[in-house]
Amino acid sequence: MGSVLAAASPSPAPAAAGGSQGVPGLVSVPPGFTMPAVSSVPPTSGSGQSADAESSLPNPGTYEECHRKCKEVFPMQMEGVRLVVNKGLSNHFQVSHTVTLSTLAESGYRFGSTYVGSKQTGPAESFPVIVGDMDNTGSLNAQIIHQLTSAVRSKIAIQTQQHKFVNWQCDFEYRGEDFTSAVTLGNPDVLVGSGIVVAHYLQSVTPGLALGGEMVYHRRPGEEGAVTSLLGRYTGDNYVATLTLGGAGAHATYYHRANDQLQIGVEFEANTRMQETTTSFGYQLDVPKANLLFKGTVDSNWVVGATLEKKLLPLPLTLALGAFLNHRKNKFQCGFGVNIG
């Protein structure tokens, strides 16, 4: 169960991970399913080589994860009622059942499954990983993640809507000692001459500073274009500051861990095409003695929201409450969730 839960533990999927621009055609993966982190390359033996390893720069991680530390502090919007039941069938296989009741979106049922292979690359990493879910209409989201070598990882994601094949994408990621590069190919069609190519590169300049860039190229009949952006991230002892600049705007985040219980995050987004800017403040308060996790946020559009999660130990039960209020539009929504397993 350890490897299954580590690979399938839900984490908030950021709307613009790594500051990437919204690109139509890329697959929206199932909630809570992300590529597991690759373990750093172990240093080689030998006195001279170990000294070089100590002075060498660390791997900066992936481009998409640069803004994630701050994004995880903000609460996810909740509306309606949500029931999730997780069941581990073995050390390699787990299934989940999700029932949602909503007044804004469609209510329904989703069945999810996770399979983790026996190829272990770290204390909590095993491959291949196959995750997916299907709703009551037959729409499917699925991913296959595999560690090809110690430095190369691949991922294939597909999406269908009922009986129609909608999207698919293929990712290849290479991690060096002090850099990470990745290429994503989305919805390629050789006959029509359309598709999307996304290239990422992130390089460690100093132990705390990483610089990188992103290029998104899309093409379809009668239209093609490319969008580039540059990224800088500085990591301190208890904070992370990240800035992304591109032709479509800017995205800046700041994450700070005040202590073991309190984390705060500030996010700034500017869209030059829409002529809009938004500043958001969020915080996360963890009370381990009470098994409570509280998240709150407020932004420049006067949207205030908060979520509260309570674990009812020793039962495998988690209760979640959430409420969001948009003062400008005078809209209020709240949600209640139960997670079993």
Side-chain angles (χ1 to χ4, degrees):
M1 277 302 298
S3 58
V4 172
L5 296 178
S9 59
S11 60
S20 304
Q21 311 299 331
V23 182
L26 291 183
V27 172
S28 59
V29 299
F33 295 143
T34 57
M35 289 189 66
V38 179
S39 301
S40 58
V41 180
T44 55
S45 60
S47 58
Q49 294 177 347
S50 63
D52 294 339
E54 293 177 357
S55 61
S56 64
L57 298 176
N59 183 278
T62 64
Y63 188 95
E64 296 178 345
E65 296 175 349
C66 289
H67 291 278
R68 182 171 298 175
K69 200 72 175 179
C70 178
K71 288 283 190 179
E72 291 177 347
V73 175
F74 290 81
M76 298 294 293
Q77 289 197 11
M78 299 178 61
E79 193 276 328
V81 180
R82 180 185 179 93
L83 172 64
V84 180
V85 179
N86 299 309
K87 175 64 176 179
L89 303 181
S90 67
N91 290 334
H92 301 277
F93 194 64
Q94 173 181 301
V95 297
S96 65
H97 307 272
T98 304
V99 179
T100 56
L101 301 176
S102 173
T103 58
L104 301 178
E106 293 185 2
S107 303
Y109 164 80
R110 302 189 72 92
F111 172 78
S113 63
T114 301
Y115 171 79
V116 178
S118 57
K119 179 182 178 181
Q120 190 168 359
T121 60
E125 293 181 346
S126 298
F127 294 93
V129 178
I130 304 175
V131 294
D133 68 71
M134 177 178 291
D135 62 15
N136 54 295
T137 65
S139 299
L140 171 69
N141 289 314
Q143 288 190 71
I144 301 176
I145 308 169
H146 191 51
Q147 188 83 20
L148 301 179
T149 67
S150 59
V152 179
R153 175 172 297 183
S154 65
K155 178 178 70 171
I156 298 177
I158 63 173
Q159 182 184 39
T160 66
Q161 288 184 357
Q162 297 180 2
H163 62 280
K164 296 181 180 180
F165 189 81
V166 179
N167 296 317
W168 80 276
Q169 75 177 44
C170 182
D171 300 354
F172 288 96
E173 175 187 299
Y174 178 82
R175 292 205 180 195
E177 293 184 357
D178 59 354
F179 72 93
T180 301
S181 59
V183 176
T184 300
L185 183 63
N187 288 345
D189 193 328
V190 180
L191 299 179
V192 179
S194 63
I196 299 174
V197 179
V198 183
H200 293 151
Y201 183 81
L202 192 61
Q203 172 74 54
S204 291
V205 180
T206 67
L209 178 63
L211 301 177
E214 176 191 59
M215 185 191 72
V216 180
Y217 173 79
H218 64 92
R219 179 178 180 179
R220 60 184 179 182
E223 180 184 353
E224 66 176 331
V227 178
T228 59
S229 59
L230 300 177
L231 179 141
R233 183 192 66 195
Y234 186 81
T235 304
D237 294 335
N238 60 346
Y239 65 91
V240 179
T242 310
L243 174 64
T244 303
L245 294 176
H251 184 201
T253 58
Y254 177 79
Y255 164 84
H256 186 88
R257 175 180 284 273
N259 50 50
D260 294 339
Q261 288 78 37
L262 180 61
Q263 305 174 56
I264 62 175
V266 180
E267 181 178 24
F268 171 80
E269 290 184 286
N271 191 320
T272 56
R273 297 176 181 176
M274 302 296 295
Q275 299 294 318
E276 294 180 351
T277 60
T278 303
T279 303
S280 305
F281 171 80
Y283 64 94
Q284 174 179 309
L285 179 63
D286 187 8
V287 187
K289 293 184 178 181
N291 298 315
L292 283 174
L293 180 63
F294 185 82
K295 294 183 179 181
T297 181
V298 60
D299 63 19
S300 57
N301 294 323
W302 294 104
V303 178
V304 181
T307 60
L308 175 65
E309 295 184 7
K310 168 67 175 179
K311 294 183 178 180
L312 302 180
L313 299 178
L315 299 175
L317 184 65
T318 302
L319 300 180
L321 297 173
F324 289 82
L325 174 62
N326 189 325
H327 289 83
R328 286 186 176 180
K329 298 181 180 180
N330 196 24
K331 291 185 178 180
F332 174 79
Q333 66 181 49
C334 61
F336 173 76
V338 179
N339 195 322
I340 303 175

